[in-house]
Every structure is written in C-alpha cells, then in structure tokens.
Amino acid sequence: DVKVTQSSRYLVKRTGEKVFLECVQDMDHENMFWYRQDPGLGLRLIYFSYDVKMKEKGDIPEGYSVSREKKERFSLILESASTNQTSMYLCASRTEWETQYFGPGTRLLVL
Amino acid sequence: TQLLEQSPQFLSIQEGENLTVYCNSSSVFSSLQWYRQEPGEGPVLLVTVVTGGEVKKLKRLTFQFGDARKDSSLHITAAQPGDTGLYLCAGAHGANSKLTFGKGITLSVRP
C-alpha cells in the first residue's frame, strides 16, 4: 500500500513563528504536492515538485516556501505564520500514471 | 474559474436509498479520480477512470467516465451511514500535469 505520512496531525503556533510541515512518501514517487483546504474554497495547490531539488509554484504560493532535498521528503515552510494561514494542510504524492495519494493532513491553528 | 463542477453540493439521504452525484467539465481529461474524505482526515482514493465510457464498480459504488472524458458520475446503491463524507473528483491532463479538483459533494446518510 502507498503510504504518505505527515509529521503532525495538529499544530498550534503563534503569529510570526516559522513553521515546518514535513511529508514523507514510501513509494518512490517523483511528484509531490502541498495543498491547503478551507471550507467553501476546496483544495488549493500551494507548491509542487517533480523531482529532487525542483519546485514549482501552485495557485497560492505567497507566504510559503518548500524544500525537497530527498525524493521521499517534501517540506512546506511558513516563514512567518499569520492567522490567515490557519487551515488544513494536505500533502500528496503521485505515480506517473496520474493516481494521486494523500497524507492524513495537518490541522494548523495560528493564534 | 471552476473547471470541475460537482453536483449537488450537499446531499442528505436516508440509509438504504440510492443516489447519483456528478462531476462535470468543459475540459477533456486524460484520467479522472474520485476520493472520499472524512472530517479531519485526508482524501482517500476510491477509483481512477481512464477510458471514455469506462465503468468501474467498488462494492456498492459505481463510477462512470463520460464517453468524451469530460464528466463522470458516482452512483451509490443502498447507501449506508459509513458512506457519509466529502466526495471529491479530480481530473488530470497528462502524466505530469496538476490535478484539477472539484469543490466536493458533502453526503450525509442518516441511520
């Protein structure tokens, strides 16, 4: 079974803190993605990566950065957390055959 | 621009009823995926359809990909409370393309 894991299920941070969200997949997938999910807005793509050390902006990259130093790991960084970044964050990885698998999500609350 | 429209947005039915929900687009997709997401969890892949006109069955769930590969339907027979959740469809435009997600259909099955 494909497994995508995320480092935390719940996080509470203060405004201005630097926040790291980690994602690991165990299926040697090339493609990895970070989304946020908010009520009424659906899933929105923040960043994605097609290969190690490669990153592409998604639809809403402002306020975020990413790192992909190893193929299995894709990190999302909030440089200075703000209250409008309170959300559910979902990591995903994908096979070359377009089937995408999600992690369990990290629910982030920024106070 | 909402490229994938899912309907209805909300559906509340009694256990044992049948239902059909839809995922429509003006775009042609190379494949389309359906997910179910429970509150506080990540989306779980149900099925990927690839060929126009394809029908796939997963126990009481029947998925159909439109002949023109622009739309899809999900039919649930004899719905159960365990079917409750958010149903997302997502379309791909090729192996390395980003998935386009619909906003989802919230299904509630009352015992």
Side-chain angles (χ1 to χ4, degrees), chain A residues 52-109:
Chain A
V52 176
K53 295 195 187 292
M54 180 272 179
K55 59 188 177 187
E56 293 273 350
K57 291 180 181 179
D59 301 318
I60 51 161
E62 296 78 20
Y64 303 93
S65 61
V66 289
S67 171
R68 188 137 181 233
E69 295 296 318
K70 293 185 178 181
K71 191 175 186 180
E72 67 270 19
R73 188 179 299 268
F74 192 33
S75 302
L76 180 70
I77 302 149
L78 286 66
E79 295 290 343
S80 177
S82 62
T83 54
N84 63 13
Q85 291 179 310
T86 290
S87 187
M88 172 72 141
Y89 288 88
L90 292 162
C91 174
S93 71
R94 196 162 96 208
T95 72
E96 60 188 284
W97 308 114
E98 304 171 4
T99 298
Q100 188 158 306
Y101 298 90
F102 284 88
T106 296
R107 196 170 284 279
L108 173 67
L109 173 62

Side-chain angles (χ1 to χ4, degrees), chain B residues 4-25:
Chain B
L4 261 177
E5 298 277 351
Q6 291 191 251
S7 60
Q9 264 190 290
F10 302 95
L11 189 56
S12 180
I13 61 170
Q14 203 70 35
E15 182 176 2
E17 289 184 27
N18 300 332
L19 66 116
T20 302
V21 295
Y22 301 93
C23 175
N24 294 309
S25 175

Side-chain angles (χ1 to χ4, degrees), chain B residues 59-95:
Chain B
K59 297 183 182 176
R60 293 176 294 99
L61 278 61
T62 302
F63 303 85
Q64 182 157 12
F65 201 12
D67 290 341
R69 290 186 286 125
K70 292 182 180 181
D71 50 71
S72 181
S73 63
L74 161 58
H75 180 80
I76 302 179
T77 303
Q80 298 177 3
D83 296 327
T84 292
L86 177 69
Y87 288 80
L88 293 163
C89 67
H93 293 283

